[in-house]
Amino acid sequence: MPGRRRRVVAAAVATGGVVLVVGGMLVVDAATSRDAQERLETARGAVRALDAAPTEQWRAPAAADRGTAFLPGLLVTVDGDEAVALDLDTGAEAWRVPVGGDEAVCGSWSPWERSAVPSRTVVCVAGSGVAPSWYDLSPPPRPGEGTATVTVLDARGRVVGQRQAQTAGALLVPGPDGGLVRAERVGEPGEPSGAPVAVDPGAGESVDGVAGRDVVVTLEDAATGAVRWRRELPFQDVPWSCTSWDAETGGEEVDPERLLLVATETLVDVGGCGVAASFLPDGERLDDPDAPTDGAVPLAGGRFLVDADRQGSDGALRADRVLDPDGTPLLDVPGEVLDPQATDDPAPGVLLVRDGIALRAFDERGARLWTFDGARVPEAVYVVAEGTAVVGTASTVLGLDALSGEQTWSRFVDDLAGERGHGAVVTQAFTDGRCAFLVLVDPATGASSRVVALELSSGSVVWSEDLDGGWGGLLPAQGRLLRWDGQSVALLG
């Protein structure tokens, strides 16, 4: 009996050990799965797993012409004089809050890829002269007069701050981290600078350069009005920043007061006649104050590219620079950065640069990893995920090992487009960490598109689906894939 008892005890211990091991594996798997899910919800262009062609789960009216914002689990847009929040999973209206007038802007818009991290609050600005400056740049919006109502809302739709802000000739836009950005012309014009401008070639009329005023840009706390930082920008000779083509005279129309302002959660960018500057949310300037043609562009992983010729060229030869998220210089770029449209990690460790017909890879410290010399010039990087870089040329899509640069697969774009015809182009890309989802458009029509899912490891087509029904852009949001047509938004899944 004692021997049998020992055997039973040993078996029980062994069984318990197996249970502990299996249980531990399940805990590790669950933690790994949660970690992967969190990465997909905060990485650029990442969406939840799409094992089959997505179908429309819900549709709701929503316009984007007055800005958009994403709070945790919510999409916020403007409807008349109200901010409206839609639940991302159901499309149901979560709340609706008046914001002080029907000339309101909530959240932001920018020409760059949107950050996938949701904001804690949304800032709305309403008042005469308040207009989104990103849709109609001819003519650009004019600074407002009088006052504007500034409202700060949290994720539950509660008003956590509201005040009247003096506009007094300033542009006001919602800013980062519950902020309000103000940009305004100050002082008197100086002496004309820059090359002569032909305002009416037929009449032989020209002006000797442009005389403009300085600009002050300020980030305020939207709720209290407290100034977080203030920067003065002297008028500079920024090529072509003060003129636009005049169809009536065939010459250039001079607008010395032209001023544009874009603010996101990671960048404040000021442009216009004689001014170009890019700032971090804490007020640190990213571009070179003495180089009037450069400007910052956000990259995947929170880094920035200081594009030497973003505002035009003054003939000087300067390399583009890559900066860390805190603005620290990382690399002088030996070519053109090809920033991925989608990743499965908020901080992808590889930076890809086109240098002639070669593609060069650098790590997060700026050290070169590899060089790929293909037969075709790389034109875009669509996805970097699961150790694979999906690269586009004029006619092919390539899969490269992100650590070695070895080509693992290749597909012809026309084959992926199927009946969509010859010459299809890839316009958007997303990933769920297993597949690259490429949006193909026939450039002859531009109205119909196909989404193709390519397995990252092999390039095999997992599924493809035609998306008909007119214009509609796809937008990733906290792991969800939305389709927006300008008047309504739909969840695909």
Side-chain angles (χ1 to χ4, degrees), residues 166-338:
Q166 295 292 327
T167 51
L171 288 178
L172 303 178
V173 300
D177 194 22
L180 177 73
V181 185
R182 176 189 300 269
E184 55 195 321
R185 296 278 179 182
V186 296
E188 298 296 328
E191 293 297 320
S193 63
V197 178
V199 294
D200 190 344
E205 183 181 351
S206 64
V207 295
D208 295 328
V210 178
R213 300 193 294 156
D214 298 343
V215 170
V216 170
V217 57
T218 307
L219 179 64
E220 306 171 355
D221 185 286
T224 67
V227 174
R228 296 179 182 173
W229 52 262
R230 182 178 185 272
R231 300 290 183 267
E232 298 182 5
L233 306 175
F235 184 87
Q236 294 178 298
D237 178 19
V238 182
W240 310 300
S241 65
C242 302
T243 60
S244 58
W245 183 65
D246 188 336
E248 183 176 342
T249 65
E252 300 291 323
E253 182 178 356
V254 179
D255 183 2
E257 294 291 292
R258 182 174 183 264
L259 190 60
L260 300 173
L261 180 60
V262 174
T264 70
E265 284 296 324
T266 62
L267 185 67
V268 174
D269 194 78
V270 186
C273 181
V275 60
S278 304
F279 300 93
L280 287 174
D282 64 4
E284 180 180 348
R285 187 159 180 177
L286 295 174
D287 62 314
D288 184 349
D290 296 324
T293 62
D294 70 354
V297 177
L299 299 176
R303 293 177 292 196
F304 297 93
L305 172 70
V306 179
D307 185 344
D309 296 323
R310 205 195 83 180
Q311 312 289 345
S313 176
D314 59 4
L317 296 178
R318 290 187 296 268
D320 295 343
R321 290 175 291 126
V322 174
L323 311 178
D324 274 347
D326 62 0
T328 303
L330 176 67
L331 174 70
D332 283 347
V333 183
E336 179 185 355
V337 172
L338 299 183

Side-chain angles (χ1 to χ4, degrees), residues 8-86:
V8 170
V9 170
V13 170
T15 303
V18 171
V19 171
L20 287 174
V21 170
V22 173
M25 292 173 63
L26 291 175
V27 170
V28 171
D29 286 345
T32 303
S33 178
R34 285 196 302 271
D35 183 58
Q37 183 68 35
E38 290 176 359
R39 289 201 308 270
L40 286 176
E41 293 191 357
T42 56
R44 172 189 285 188
V47 297
R48 295 170 179 172
L50 293 174
D51 297 327
T55 58
E56 187 173 300
Q57 304 298 302
W58 56 258
R59 178 175 291 274
D65 59 345
R66 288 279 168 172
T68 60
F70 288 96
L71 299 171
L74 299 174
L75 163 66
V76 181
T77 63
V78 179
D79 181 17
D81 62 352
E82 297 176 313
V84 181
L86 299 179

Side-chain angles (χ1 to χ4, degrees), residues 115-194:
S115 170
V117 179
S119 304
R120 296 179 298 172
T121 59
V122 57
V123 176
C124 300
V125 187
S128 176
V130 174
S133 61
W134 45 83
Y135 282 96
D136 184 9
L137 301 182
S138 299
R142 288 301 179 185
E145 299 293 342
T147 61
T149 301
V150 182
T151 306
V152 184
L153 305 171
D154 67 8
R156 299 175 64 178
R158 296 176 299 190
V159 177
V160 296
Q162 190 170 61
R163 65 184 175 97
Q164 297 297 309
Q166 295 292 327
T167 51
L171 288 178
L172 303 178
V173 300
D177 194 22
L180 177 73
V181 185
R182 176 189 300 269
E184 55 195 321
R185 296 278 179 182
V186 296
E188 298 296 328
E191 293 297 320
S193 63

